[in-house]
Amino acid sequence: MKVSTLIKELETRKDDYILVADVINVLGNATNSKPHEVVKYLDAHNIEEYITLLYMDESYTFEPYNGHILGLGNDANITYFLKADVMAFDPIAKHGIFKSGSNDLINPYQKNLDDDYLTLDEVVTTLNREVDMSCDYDKIRDLARKKKITPCFYFNGYVCELSPDQSGELSPCFFETPHTEIMTGYFTYRLLVEQISSYDEYITLPHCEMGNEILIYRLLERQGDTQISYGDALALFESRPQPFDDRKNYSNRFGSIGFDEIRFSKQELDDYIASTQTTSDNHFIEHVKLVEGYKVQQLEGLKNENDKLNARLNKASEIYRQNKSEITELKAQLEKANADNADLNEQLSNKIDAPADDNTLQTILNESHDYHAPDLKHAIQLWIDLYVNDGIKSDSHSNKAAQWISRNTDYAENAKTSTDRIKEISSPSKYWSPHRKKEV
């Protein structure tokens, strides 16, 4: 039976509202949290104080609902929140899952449906093309180990939630009849990473192993009451499992996948490639900064060295100026001393060459003076002739004096004492000693 146009028009009223169950499911899937964890989170943020809980009556009118949401029960499937209030509630809005105009409110798996899933060979080709690396299966395994990309496999069938029992082994949450849901999507487990380079034809799925349990990776569709969340350990069945009593024999009925069935999210791979390019750009920027920093250091080093050289040059220049001034002054002093010495030499020469000009000497040499001393006169004349004028050559003063006396005096033989006295008086210091009586 076709729905009337008027009823369709009334149905559109619901576009401004969202089921509480949908809010719990979408937030749980986005954060890998279980429904009761989402409810606890919302209660902790006092959601009912900020967002009114509503129900829709038969006339499509939304009225306040006097109740409290305890989980994904009937209440959550018949009550609503105003979408605008949900998108404005910060504890929800910060996860970015309820955006204006988004289809995620209607189909929370739409984003996963839009993603592509690549084979190992396609990942190798993409990385070799987009990233500067030599990529092979081992390289992909290393990237998966570092959680840069996640290996997964496709499954469409029955899914059972598992939980650890008292012995720590994983088993169904219900003893007699396990709770199952029909799910379509991509699943993963921890040690699937190590299978990437094994080249085995088939990969055996783990049998309910703690720490290596099968988990939802990307969910495309689910049918059921949505009690299973991303963080639950799972067992996979190709057909609905029957009731059983022995939990220890419980294992996957979907036992293996082909090596060529390993898949990777293209979106996740693109995000990794973008991060490498960003890292490369950052490295380039850092390299430029290092080069610029090195140049700055070089310039600063050259400037410091130049400052030191300038300081040394200035100091040397100052020393040179001081020394030059001192040298000029010393030259002037030397020139004055030389001039004074020349003047003194000239005066001395004049006195020696013309002793007659000296009054005192004239008194000694003048025979007509009452105080004339003949021996002293002869001794002075002898000394001038011998040692100023260098008139007689001989090896001793006595011989020189004897020759001079014989040429210039008329002493008689009985004047020998006067002759010896003249010799001794005129004797220079190099020939005379106070310890000898007379020169030999």
Side-chain angles (χ1 to χ4, degrees):
M1 183 176 64
K2 293 183 178 180
V3 179
S4 70
T5 303
L6 295 178
I7 296 300
K8 286 182 179 180
E9 187 176 328
L10 289 172
E11 286 278 353
T12 59
R13 289 186 180 182
K14 294 193 295 184
D15 291 344
D16 294 330
Y17 299 84
I18 180 172
L19 273 174
V20 173
D22 288 343
V23 173
I24 295 172
N25 282 324
V26 174
L27 185 57
N29 290 332
T31 60
N32 283 335
S33 302
K34 296 183 179 181
H36 75 273
E37 294 174 331
V38 174
V39 173
K40 185 176 181 180
Y41 171 82
L42 296 175
D43 281 344
H45 287 86
N46 302 318
I47 186 172
E48 292 183 357
E49 295 182 12
Y50 298 93
I51 305 178
T52 303
L53 196 62
L54 305 169
Y55 76 95
M56 184 181 67
D57 60 20
E58 294 179 355
S59 63
Y60 291 86
T61 301
F62 289 89
E63 302 289 347
Y65 181 78
N66 296 322
H68 182 71
I69 303 302
L70 298 177
L72 282 179
N74 291 331
D75 287 351
N77 287 288
I78 63 171
T79 53
Y80 295 82
F81 290 133
L82 187 63
K83 285 183 182 178
D85 290 344
V86 172
M87 288 187 284
F89 186 53
D90 184 66
I92 295 179
K94 71 179 183 180
H95 293 285
I97 54 175
F98 295 108
K99 297 179 181 179
S100 180
S102 173
N103 289 328
D104 288 348
L105 299 175
I106 300 172
N107 184 356
Y109 314 116
Q110 185 64 45
K111 182 171 64 176
N112 294 341
L113 289 170
D114 293 339
D115 196 2
D116 291 330
Y117 293 85
L118 308 179
T119 65
L120 279 165
D121 290 336
E122 288 173 330
V123 173
V124 169
T125 301
T126 302
L127 287 175
N128 282 327
R129 183 180 66 246
E130 301 293 338
V131 182
D132 186 15
M133 65 167 62
S134 179
C135 184
D136 54 16
Y137 289 172
D138 290 336
K139 182 64 176 178
I140 296 176
R141 181 192 59 197
D142 292 341
L143 292 175
R145 285 173 173 172
K146 297 176 182 178
K147 301 187 184 305
K148 303 297 183 181
I149 54 177
T150 305
C152 57
F153 60 92
Y154 177 82
F155 174 75
N156 176 23
Y158 292 89
V159 175
C160 174
E161 179 185 1
L162 304 177
S163 63
D165 57 20
Q166 294 180 350
S167 65
E169 295 184 2
L170 292 171
S171 61
C173 297
F174 302 96
F175 181 73
E176 294 188 1
T177 304
H179 171 77
T180 59
E181 293 184 31
I182 297 177
M183 289 186 178
T184 302
Y186 288 87
F187 297 78
T188 188
Y189 56 93
R190 185 175 60 86
L191 291 183
L192 181 58
V193 171
E194 305 305 323
Q195 301 293 328
I196 293 175
S197 295
S198 66
Y199 303 102
D200 293 334
E201 186 175 355
Y202 291 100
I203 299 171
T204 302
L205 301 186
H207 295 288
C208 312
E209 299 172 5
M210 284 289 292
N212 195 35
E213 55 268 42
I214 294 175
L215 303 172
I216 298 172
Y217 173 66
R218 294 286 171 83
L219 203 54
L220 305 178
E221 184 183 4
R222 68 193 307 167
Q223 299 176 24
D225 56 12
T226 65
Q227 292 185 6
I228 298 175
S229 65
Y230 276 77
D232 292 332
L234 305 175
L236 309 182
F237 301 89
E238 292 180 335
S239 59
R240 182 186 294 275
Q242 300 300 315
F244 53 87
D245 295 328
D246 188 0
R247 296 194 219 182
K248 293 183 179 180
N249 294 326
Y250 194 83
S251 61
N252 289 303
R253 305 296 172 82
F254 178 70
S256 63
I257 60 173
F259 178 76
D260 58 355
E261 292 183 62
I262 296 177
R263 294 291 184 269
F264 294 87
S265 163
K266 185 178 184 301
Q267 181 60 54
E268 190 176 56
L269 183 64
D270 290 342
D271 291 343
Y272 167 71
I273 293 173
S275 71
T276 61
Q277 293 171 346
T278 301
T279 302
S280 177
D281 292 342
N282 291 338
H283 286 167
F284 176 74
I285 294 172
E286 290 300 322
H287 176 70
V288 171
K289 288 182 179 179
L290 287 174
V291 172
E292 293 299 325
Y294 178 70
K295 289 181 178 178
V296 170
Q297 289 180 348
Q298 279 188 319
L299 291 175
E300 290 178 349
L302 291 174
K303 182 178 180 302
N304 292 336
E305 190 65 26
N306 189 54
D307 290 343
K308 292 178 181 178
L309 291 175
N310 284 332
R312 291 174 60 188
L313 179 61
N314 292 335
K315 184 176 180 179
S317 298
E318 182 64 24
I319 293 174
Y320 172 75
R321 284 193 294 270
Q322 293 176 356
N323 290 343
K324 184 178 180 181
S325 177
E326 292 177 1
I327 290 171
T328 302
E329 184 178 351
L330 290 173
K331 282 183 177 180
Q333 293 177 3
L334 179 61
E335 290 175 358
K336 184 176 183 304
N338 289 336
D340 292 344
N341 186 54
D343 187 49
L344 291 173
N345 288 335
E346 184 179 358
Q347 292 178 18
L348 179 61
S349 175
N350 291 335
K351 286 182 179 290
I352 295 174
D353 291 341
D357 294 338
D358 188 276
N359 291 329
T360 301
L361 188 60
Q362 285 295 330
T363 301
I364 297 173
L365 301 179
N366 190 351
E367 296 179 358
S368 64
H369 197 280
D370 292 340
Y371 300 103
H372 169 62
D375 288 346
L376 180 59
K377 172 187 175 185
H378 291 317
I380 291 172
Q381 289 177 339
L382 182 151
W383 187 84
I384 291 172
D385 284 345
L386 293 184
Y387 300 110
V388 174
N389 297 327
D390 198 19
I392 297 175
K393 306 293 185 181
S394 182
D395 57 351
S396 69
H397 171 73
S398 180
N399 290 335
K400 289 179 181 180
Q403 292 181 44
W404 185 87
I405 291 172
S406 64
R407 296 175 188 175
N408 294 284
T409 63
D410 296 326
Y411 285 105
E413 186 66 31
N414 57 4
K416 186 174 186 305
T417 301
S418 297
T419 302
D420 293 339
R421 185 169 55 184
I422 291 172
K423 290 180 182 179
E424 187 167 354
I425 291 172
S426 62
S427 176
S429 60
K430 68 176 181 176
Y431 295 113
W432 181 86
S433 171
H435 299 296
R436 64 181 179 85
K437 294 182 178 180
K438 65 178 181 178
E439 181 185 4
V440 178

